[in-house]
Amino acid sequence: MNNLNKTIFIATATILLGGVSISIVSANSARDAIIEGFVDEAGMEASAERGKILFESNIGDGKPDTPSCTTCHGATALKTGMTRAGKVIEPMAVSKNPERFIDLKKVSKWFRRNCKSVLGRECTPQEKADFLTYMKSK
Amino acid sequence: MTKFILVLASSVFVLATPIVSVTANAESFPPIENQTVIAECGECHMVFFAEMLPRKSWLRILNSLGNHYGEDASIDSGPLKEIITFHTSRASDVLNIRGAIKWREGLNKGEAPERITTAPRFIRKHADNDFAQMWTKFKVASKADCLACHKGATRGQFDDD
């Protein structure tokens, strides 16, 4: 690498890394605001432990093909999942996928759909807060 | 930032994608550009081509998204309207392009298959051993996972095997 190339390389790497850390910081605050919103609505502290149980339990009160969140999302929060039509779903754990749970519209849409599919009803604000708190801790 | 990664990723993608030759005889489908359709219908599977089913099928499918093949795929009424218009105006019995014409062949008048994978052209094209072998070899989870066997499926190309 000659000097000019080196400079360009370092400059590019700096911009890249700088951009990544800024976007992670703003993703984190967007996610925290969403979680806080559900905690406020629930009127009680969230529990990662309860969130884990919701995610991993075989509930089966909704549609027969989807008894559990893990039917599609993979066996654990860290694993890649798959839709019934074969499309890959990236892991839910925030450590694996920093872009998780940063858009309230997206989060609300999927809670509505997936809770109906698995529980046969909408999730409560408390369940939502628990679930997101668990995924944030993983 | 995201834009930069996107540009980077798509240039890698273009480089890595093999060039698929399209024979004069095969149908191909214009790529889907409607952003609402891409956002709402591409989350759980590839965005299917409207040209593969007749108008009546799409009306049934899109008016019962609350129970979509055993799943809740419901969407807001605003985007839903746009998605219905998109699909019905490109349906196999409406649009006169090669792909649509091929997919209307073999349909009785008023017949409305529930799925692409139960439409006459799908059944005819996937009846032989090649399909069965690929199914086993690639461990395909669903017939609707076109991409498992057709690498060019999202670009509307199905003659690449």
Side-chain angles (χ1 to χ4, degrees), chain B:
Chain B
M1 180 56 213
T2 330
K3 239 185 221 155
F4 180 75
I5 291 181
L6 265 178
V7 172
L8 202 71
S10 44
S11 42
V12 171
F13 179 71
V14 169
L15 288 177
T17 308
I19 297 156
V20 181
S21 62
V22 181
T23 59
N25 221 9
E27 78 253 43
S28 61
F29 301 85
I32 294 161
E33 280 161 4
N34 182 300
Q35 292 304 315
T36 309
V37 172
I38 293 171
E40 300 290 348
C41 303
E43 297 164 305
C44 305
H45 45 64
M46 70 170 256
V47 186
F48 296 121
F49 291 96
E51 292 89 334
M52 291 182 173
L53 286 174
R55 192 183 135 81
K56 205 163 145 191
S57 296
W58 287 120
L59 285 173
R60 269 199 205 149
I61 292 167
L62 296 170
N63 284 318
S64 58
L65 287 172
N67 192 354
H68 182 69
Y69 309 93
E71 257 171 55
D72 188 329
S74 55
I75 49 193
D76 293 340
S77 59
L80 179 61
K81 240 175 119 186
E82 186 182 340
I83 290 166
I84 290 178
T85 307
F86 178 88
H87 283 84
T88 50
S89 65
R90 305 192 63 86
S92 65
D93 54 346
V94 174
L95 202 64
N96 281 315
I97 64 167
R98 190 177 182 85
I101 293 167
K102 290 251 178 203
W103 281 79
R104 83 174 73 135
E105 277 168 15
L107 274 181
N108 296 320
K109 209 175 155 43
E111 189 183 343
E114 242 183 77
R115 292 168 174 268
I116 290 167
T117 52
T118 56
R121 182 166 177 79
F122 186 95
I123 295 173
R124 207 172 340 114
K125 285 287 176 180
H126 299 88
D128 62 6
N129 239 343
D130 285 359
F131 175 73
Q133 276 172 3
M134 278 178 113
W135 178 271
T136 320
K137 188 172 146 210
F138 296 147
K139 300 194 178 78
V140 184
S142 157
K143 282 186 194 174
D145 187 8
C146 319
L147 268 170
C149 305
H150 300 283
K151 299 304 169 208
T154 49
R155 280 172 284 125
Q157 290 163 3
F158 295 92
D159 64 337
D160 50 347
D161 2 58

Side-chain angles (χ1 to χ4, degrees), chain A residues 52-75 114 117-119:
Chain A
K52 178 178 160 70
I53 293 169
L54 170 64
F55 182 67
E56 289 177 358
S57 299
N58 210 11
I59 299 167
D61 290 337
K63 304 209 152 92
D65 291 322
T66 53
S68 165
C69 306
T70 57
T71 306
C72 301
H73 285 295
N114 296 343
S117 289
V118 174
L119 300 123

